[in-house]
Amino acid sequence: MHALEEARPTVIHPTALVASGARIGLGVKIGPWCSVGPNVVIEDGVELISHVVVDGQTRLGAGSRYFPFCTVGMAPQDLKYKGEPTRCEIGPRTVVREHVTIHRGTATGSGVTRVGADVLVMANAHVAHDCVLGDRVIIVNNVVMGGHVTIGDDARIMGSAAIHQFVRIGHAALVGGVAGVEADVIPYGSVLGNRARLIGLHWIWLRRNGVQSQDIHHMRKAFLTLYPKNGGDQPFAVRLDAVRRDFTDNVRIQEILAFIDAPSRRGLVRPARGDASGLDTEGA
């Protein structure tokens, strides 16, 4: 036997059902009453704790963990789906907690549902077909999202938020608890309410992740140019041009502008009325 296999034995509980054809890596632990379909690939060091169902053309990234009663790669809740061989991919070291459902993609969409690396999906959340979650995303309990949602790296989606299909959530954005998000959230944006409104930038994340005070000052100034107190007198396009002109060297502001310029099915979340720009909202 290979030395690595001796060091990292794969353990499959006798009550688990692992179909012929499933590819199982080294050091995998498949607990009691789990079910693994024939087209599943489980990379090294994955743990299915118990009562986990993995089906379809699904790949579980190395070192990821799956808690009881979650399902990964099951057929999408889309009436147009006719059993096409679509996919689901979970990144390394991602943690999927109890009763989470992650469905595979659809032939009419991208064909793949993708969850990045080091993601935490807390209990009872739903990741729908064709969704794409970046790295280090945190999805808190009871979050639900429609199909084709895109969530950027480092975003935080707080408990019981609901995200409409085709919505884009930008890098390091914060969606507040019980928010109903019907439109796109800019990178570093912070939204609250039902329906969700933009109340500022995710200042807490920026400070915790080493963004310098001068850069934060520039981002605050750019945000207030785009979304002035009480709406301002100029059209949004004019304010957008002013930010393009005045902040050409700030990488994060350019990221926000590129997000605004990108194609969108839903448009942008509207700002809250009045002055909410100074509100600090805690992220996970």
Side-chain angles (χ1 to χ4, degrees):
M1 181 179 288
H2 193 281
L4 183 60
E5 291 177 339
E6 291 180 337
R8 302 182 62 190
T10 292
V11 178
I12 300 176
H13 194 275
T15 61
L17 300 176
V18 179
S20 175
R23 295 164 56 191
I24 310 297
L26 301 175
V28 170
K29 297 179 181 179
I30 300 179
W33 309 109
C34 292
S35 175
V36 177
N39 298 311
V40 172
V41 176
I42 300 181
E43 297 183 356
D44 296 349
V46 169
E47 182 179 9
L48 312 183
I49 293 176
S50 73
H51 297 83
V52 176
V53 177
V54 188
D55 197 16
Q57 296 192 18
T58 295
R59 177 179 290 270
L60 306 183
S64 53
R65 299 183 72 209
Y66 303 84
F67 281 69
F69 304 104
C70 70
T71 67
V72 182
M74 301 296 284
Q77 297 174 132
D78 186 332
L79 295 177
K80 300 185 297 299
Y81 181 72
K82 304 301 179 184
E84 297 90 347
T86 53
R87 296 180 292 125
C88 179
E89 298 177 358
I90 311 296
R93 300 173 303 280
T94 282
V95 175
V96 178
R97 294 301 305 244
E98 296 86 348
H99 296 279
V100 166
T101 52
I102 303 175
H103 291 168
R104 59 184 181 258
T106 62
T108 55
S110 65
V112 59
T113 299
R114 183 174 288 111
V115 177
D118 302 295
V119 172
L120 171 58
V121 186
M122 296 188 191
N124 299 301
H126 174 61
V127 180
H129 61 85
D130 302 291
C131 288
V132 177
L133 278 59
D135 298 337
R136 301 173 301 279
V137 170
I138 296 177
I139 306 293
V140 179
N141 304 69
N142 303 308
V143 167
V144 293
M145 56 193 78
H148 315 276
V149 166
T150 301
I151 300 178
D153 295 348
D154 301 298
R156 305 288 188 259
I157 316 298
M158 298 294 103
S160 299
I163 306 175
H164 195 285
Q165 61 185 359
F166 292 104
V167 159
R168 298 178 301 146
I169 307 293
H171 173 215
L174 172 66
V175 173
V178 203
V181 186
E182 295 181 311
D184 298 346
V185 180
I186 60 173
Y188 313 103
S190 180
V191 300
L192 292 174
N194 188 6
R195 296 305 193 243
R197 292 293 180 261
L198 185 66
I199 56 89
L201 296 183
H202 192 179
W203 308 115
I204 296 294
W205 186 93
L206 293 167
R207 295 184 191 118
R208 288 178 178 174
N209 286 273
V211 180
Q212 298 300 308
S213 297
Q214 186 68 15
D215 284 340
I216 291 177
H217 172 74
H218 289 157
M219 293 180 73
R220 188 184 297 273
K221 186 175 179 181
F223 181 83
L224 289 173
T225 301
L226 285 173
Y227 303 104
K229 299 175 183 179
N230 301 315
D233 299 324
Q234 295 178 318
F236 184 74
V238 173
R239 305 196 299 269
L240 195 60
D241 287 341
V243 173
R244 294 189 206 283
R245 182 185 65 245
D246 296 341
F247 298 95
T248 56
D249 296 330
N250 189 295
V251 173
R252 290 183 177 83
I253 295 173
Q254 291 301 312
E255 181 182 0
I256 294 172
L257 294 174
F259 183 93
I260 292 172
D261 289 338
S264 171
R265 296 280 294 266
R266 301 297 305 170
L268 297 173
V269 166
R270 297 162 67 181
R273 293 182 179 180
D275 179 20
S277 60
L279 187 62
D280 272 333
T281 50
E282 285 284 351

